Amino acid sequence: MTTISLRLRAGLVSIALLAAFLGIWHLATRASAPVKAMSPEYAKLMGLTATQGKSAMPGPLDVGAKLWEHLKRPFYDNGPNDKGLGIQLGYSIARVGLGYLLAVLVAIPLGFLIGMSPLLSRALDPFIQVLKPISPLAWMPLALYTIKDSSISAIFVIFICSIWPMLLNTVFGVASVRKEWINVARTLEVGTLRRAFTVILPAAAPTILTGMRISIGIAWLVIVAAEMLVGGTGIGYFVWNEWNNLSITNVIIAILLIGIVGMLLDQILARFTRMVTFPE
Amino acid sequence: MTDKFVSIEGIAKRYPGASGATTTVFENLWLSMARGEFCCVIGHSGCGKTTVLNILAGLDAPSEGTVIVDGQAISGTSLDRAVIFQSHALLPWRTVLGNVSYAVTSKWRNWDRAKVKAHAQTFIDLVGLTGSEHKRPSELSGGMKQRVGIARALSITPKMMLMDEPFSALDALTRGTLQDEVRRICLETGQTAFMITHDVDEAIYLADKIFLMTNGPGAVLAEVVENPLPRDRGRTDLHRHPLYYALRNHIIDFLVTRSKNFTAETPDHDPRNVPVIHIGKPGLTIASDVKPEPPREPSWPGLSRPSTCS
Ligand SMILES: Nc1ncnc2c1ncn2[C@@H]1O[C@H](COP(=O)(O)OP(=O)(O)OP(=O)(O)O)[C@@H](O)[C@H]1O
Ligand SMILES: [Mg+2]
C-alpha cells in the first residue's frame, strides 16, 4: 500500500475543490448564444449582458485578468477615486495596525492591573460588561463629532473594537495564574514588579496572545465597514466605490484580498501564540 | 528545651463557614523544633497539616498566635525558609537550570550570569540531574521534577526546609531514592526540616520527631513521638531495630483508633505541654516537659538506649 501523507491528500482535495468551484463558476457565467434580435440601439444600451446572453456576474477569467492588471500596478495613484489596490490595502492595514497597537498598549497593562487586583476587577466589571457588547460602529458618529477627522475616527473604532478581547483575556490569564507559581515567587521574596514579569506574564502569555488573535480578527472585520462609512481611502472604501461604479469584478477581487490579508494577520498572531505557549 | 529554633505559639486558623459561623481548623496549637532537627507531621486528611506548613512558610497568616523562627516572629515569606511543594510547582516555561537559577537570582540579585549558573549547577549535580539542565519540566519524569524542586529549595541555602508531602506522587522506588537524598542532604547541611507525610515508614526513616495530629475540624497536636532509632539509620535494616515495631504500631494505632476521639477521651490534654512519647522496650511511657534523655548515640543498634520514665 502506498502511504501518501495526510497533508498531501488534503492538499489534493483542496485543489480539486477549488478547480470544481472555478469550473462551476465559469460555466454559470459564460456567454451563451446571442439572444433574440433586438434593435441595435437597445442592444448597445444593454451591453453584452443582453446581446450575448452574458451573465452580469463576471466569470473567473474576467476576475483573473483584472486581478493580474491590479497586481501589475498595485501602487498607482490617479487621484482620490482611483488608487492602486496596494495603496488601498496599505491604508487599511495602517489603520488597523495603529488602532490595534494603541489597544494593546492600553489593554495589557490595564488587564494586568485588573487581574491582579480583586478590588479593581469588581469595580470595573460593570463598565466592561456594558461597553463590551456595543458594536464598534456605533461609536462612529461620536468619534466623528469629537475627533472631527474621519481617518482618526476609523482608527478609534479599531481601537475600541480590539480592546475588549485583549482586555478580558489578559484579566482572565492574569487572574488564573496557578497559585503555586505565585507561591514559588513569594517564598523566594520576589518583588511585585519582578513577579509580574517573570511569573505572571509568561504564565498568562498564551491566554493574552489568544485574546490578541481574536482582536486582530475583529479589527480586520470592522475596518472594512468603518471605511465604507468614512470613505476616502482604504479597502472598505474601495469596495463601496467599485459597487457604485458597478464593477463587480473589482468587488470580487477586493473580497478575495480582504480574505487573504485577514488570514495572514491571523497566521502572524498564531505564530506568536505558539512561541509563548509552554507544554505542561 | 533550650534551643527552640522554631516555636509555634498558640496559633489558630479559622475560616468563615456557612451561615455566618466560623470553622476552626485548629486553635491554640503549640509546637517547637530544635535547630537541625527533622520533624514529620502525620495526621488524617483535612486536619490542617498544610495549613500549619503554609503558616510556617509565611504563605498564610494565622488567625491568632505567632510563629517565631530563629528568635524572630515571622511576617510573611522568607528566603530562609524554603518550601518543597507537593506538586513540585516548577515554572514550565523555564528549563531545569532556569528554574534553579530563578531561585538563585532571587536570593543574590547582583550576581552575574556565570556565577548564578555555576551555583545552580552545583545543586543540580547534587540531586543527580547532571545532563538534564536544559530540559523543560514537561520533558522530565515525576521523580526528576521533584528533584528539581529539591535543588531549587536547597540552592538558596535556607535555614529550614518545609516539605508538603513531597514524595506522595512518586513510585516506591523513586520515593526511596529521594528520601535517601533528602536525608543525606539535610544531615550534611544541618537543615531543620518540617515535612508532612502520610507514609508512616517515611516518617520513621526520616524523622527525629514525629508530630501526631488528631482529626479536624478542631484538630490538636496530640503527641510528639521521639524517634528511638539512631541517627545513622539505614533504610534496609530499619525494621530490624528492636524498637521499630513498637514505634510503628504506636503511630498506626494513633491513626487508626485514637486520632478520632482523642479530644473527647483526653479532656486534660494541655496543648502547651504536649506529651512527648519515648518508645521504650517494655512498653510505652510518657514523659512530658522534662527530658531525662541521654545525648543521642550514633552507634547502631540503639539497644542500649534506656526507656525513660517521668
Ligand atoms: N480557603 C479555605 N476555606 C475554608 N476552609 C478551608 C480553606 N482552606 C482549607 N480549609 C479547610 O481547612 C482544613 C485543613 O486543610 P489542609 O489543607 O491544611 O489539610 P491537610 O491536613 O493538609 O489535608 P491533606 O492531608 O488532605 O493535604 C480542611 O478541613 C479544609 O476544609
Ligand atoms: Mg495537605
Side-chain angles (χ1 to χ4, degrees):
Chain A
M1 200 184 103
T2 49
T3 46
I4 308 168
S5 78
L6 181 66
R7 215 172 135 172
L8 190 66
R9 279 183 290 161
L12 287 174
V13 174
S14 294
I15 290 169
L17 283 174
L18 180 67
F21 170 72
L22 290 176
I24 292 167
W25 181 11
H26 178 72
L27 289 179
T29 54
R30 90 195 138 139
S32 49
V35 253
K36 296 167 204 111
M38 58 176 82
S39 82
E41 285 89 40
Y42 184 60
K44 206 174 167 196
L45 204 65
M46 292 299 286
L48 295 174
T49 315
T51 49
Q52 291 179 15
K54 178 145 175 47
S55 162
M57 196 69 183
L61 295 176
D62 306 320
V63 173
K66 193 82 185 167
L67 181 62
W68 179 241
E69 238 174 75
H70 279 298
L71 288 180
K72 272 195 299 194
R73 309 172 52 214
F75 298 112
Y76 72 90
D77 187 351
N78 297 340
N81 279 341
D82 191 11
K83 293 189 202 313
L85 265 176
I87 292 185
Q88 305 287 31
L89 275 175
Y91 272 110
S92 300
I93 292 173
R95 280 184 192 126
V96 165
L98 254 167
Y100 182 77
L101 202 71
L102 283 174
V104 171
L105 292 179
V106 174
I108 292 179
L110 190 64
F112 249 78
L113 279 181
I114 300 175
M116 286 172 85
S117 150
L119 172 77
L120 269 182
S121 165
R122 289 202 178 195
L124 292 179
D125 189 58
F127 298 102
I128 295 174
Q129 295 302 334
V130 169
L131 290 173
K132 188 180 59 150
I134 298 173
S135 162
L137 293 173
W139 292 97
M140 189 59 102
L142 210 58
L144 286 170
Y145 177 72
T146 45
I147 304 173
K148 297 190 173 60
D149 180 298
S150 63
S151 200
I152 300 179
S153 296
I155 293 170
F156 171 77
V157 167
I158 294 303
F159 167 80
I160 208 85
C161 79
S162 43
I163 198 164
W164 307 117
M166 279 194 260
L167 184 67
L168 292 173
N169 267 46
T170 308
V171 171
F172 178 74
V174 168
S176 54
V177 173
R178 285 230 225 129
K179 189 98 188 286
E180 55 188 56
W181 296 336
I182 307 273
N183 280 349
V184 168
R186 285 177 65 200
T187 55
L188 294 173
E189 292 189 61
V190 173
T192 316
L193 201 64
R194 185 160 177 254
R195 193 197 303 174
F197 280 104
T198 56
V199 177
I200 300 175
L201 185 61
T207 320
I208 297 175
L209 260 293
T210 307
M212 290 175 69
R213 192 173 166 192
I214 297 170
S215 280
I216 197 82
I218 293 178
W220 190 244
L221 287 180
V222 167
I223 192 66
V224 175
E227 284 170 345
M228 283 181 178
L229 278 176
V230 297
T233 46
I235 194 73
Y237 169 71
F238 177 84
V239 171
W240 202 248
N241 200 31
E242 294 306 315
W243 163 238
N244 286 337
N245 293 343
L246 279 178
S247 170
I248 304 296
T249 317
N250 273 335
V251 171
I252 292 174
I253 288 171
I255 288 174
L256 186 69
L257 286 175
I258 291 170
I260 290 172
V261 172
M263 180 187 76
L264 290 177
L265 291 176
D266 186 65
Q267 290 299 310
I268 292 170
L269 265 295
R271 172 155 297 196
F272 283 135
T273 311
R274 271 200 299 280
M275 268 165 53
V276 299
T277 305
F278 48 84
E280 286 208 33
Chain B
M1 249 174 271
T2 44
D3 181 24
K4 272 192 190 174
F5 179 62
V6 177
S7 175
I8 291 182
E9 312 200 332
I11 59 166
K13 186 75 193 177
R14 299 177 217 283
Y15 288 106
S19 67
T22 53
T23 334
T24 303
V25 181
F26 52 76
E27 60 186 346
N28 203 16
L29 186 93
W30 298 70
L31 180 159
S32 66
M33 289 163 66
R35 197 184 291 271
E37 210 166 30
F38 200 119
C39 299
C40 280
V41 185
I42 292 191
H44 282 287
S45 186
C47 71
K49 304 180 295 294
T50 300
T51 312
V52 173
L53 185 131
N54 283 346
I55 290 172
L56 254 176
L59 289 169
D60 208 350
S63 312
E64 281 163 28
T66 43
V67 176
I68 293 170
V69 176
D70 212 4
Q72 266 196 324
I74 65 163
S75 58
T77 55
S78 161
L79 281 160
D80 287 338
R81 282 167 275 129
V83 182
I84 297 177
F85 296 88
Q86 174 173 12
S87 50
H88 54 75
L90 300 180
L91 306 178
W93 55 89
R94 285 173 177 266
T95 60
V96 169
L97 186 64
N99 267 285
V100 180
S101 298
Y102 184 63
V104 177
T105 41
S106 300
K107 172 131 185 183
W108 296 282
R109 311 245 155 121
N110 47 4
W111 278 15
D112 60 53
R113 209 175 266 252
K115 201 167 177 192
V116 168
K117 190 171 176 237
H119 185 86
Q121 186 68 51
T122 323
F123 288 89
I124 292 171
D125 296 344
L126 186 73
V127 297
L129 281 179
T130 320
S132 304
E133 296 86 356
H134 300 292
K135 288 195 177 141
R136 284 180 196 275
S138 58
E139 301 166 86
L140 302 178
S141 71
M144 290 163 92
K145 282 184 208 162
Q146 206 51 274
R147 277 165 207 252
V148 183
I150 296 169
R152 178 173 64 185
L154 289 169
S155 70
I156 56 171
T157 57
K159 289 186 186 154
M160 96 175 276
M161 299 241 277
L162 303 167
M163 302 173 249
D164 191 351
E165 302 182 38
F167 310 132
S168 61
L170 305 177
D171 63 283
L173 208 63
T174 319
R175 191 185 314 159
T177 333
L178 285 185
Q179 282 168 356
D180 289 342
E181 266 162 41
V182 161
R183 188 172 155 71
R184 175 176 57 84
I185 290 164
C186 283
L187 285 176
E188 274 170 16
T189 55
Q191 287 293 328
T192 309
F194 183 86
M195 180 196 262
I196 296 172
T197 177
H198 275 124
D199 181 345
V200 176
D201 286 313
E202 178 170 275
I204 294 176
Y205 177 50
L206 293 174
D208 300 317
K209 259 191 204 167
I210 299 162
F211 298 119
L212 299 179
M213 280 180 80
T214 63
N215 294 3
V220 298
L221 175 59
E223 289 173 356
V224 178
V225 180
E226 293 266 353
N227 193 337
L229 306 189
R231 246 204 159 177
D232 60 346
R233 59 193 83 131
R235 156 189 306 290
T236 45
D237 42 11
L238 210 58
H239 61 283
R240 294 212 195 94
H241 191 280
L243 295 178
Y244 171 81
Y245 283 104
L247 175 64
R248 195 168 193 279
N249 289 344
H250 181 79
I251 297 171
I252 289 179
D253 185 47
F254 175 83
L255 288 176
V256 174
T257 53
R258 293 200 297 135
S259 63
K260 235 173 287 159
N261 305 317
F262 181 85
T263 353
E265 284 164 11
T266 326
D268 57 343
H269 179 72
D270 178 7
R272 282 197 78 154
N273 281 308
V274 177
V276 180
I277 308 291
H278 301 278
I279 308 288
K281 244 202 310 187
L284 304 177
T285 28
I286 292 172
S288 51
D289 244 7
V290 274
K291 236 187 7 173
E293 192 198 358
R296 284 209 169 76
E297 298 149 66
S299 62
W300 176 264
L303 271 169
S304 53
R305 183 101 147 257
S307 62
T308 47
C309 304
S310 49

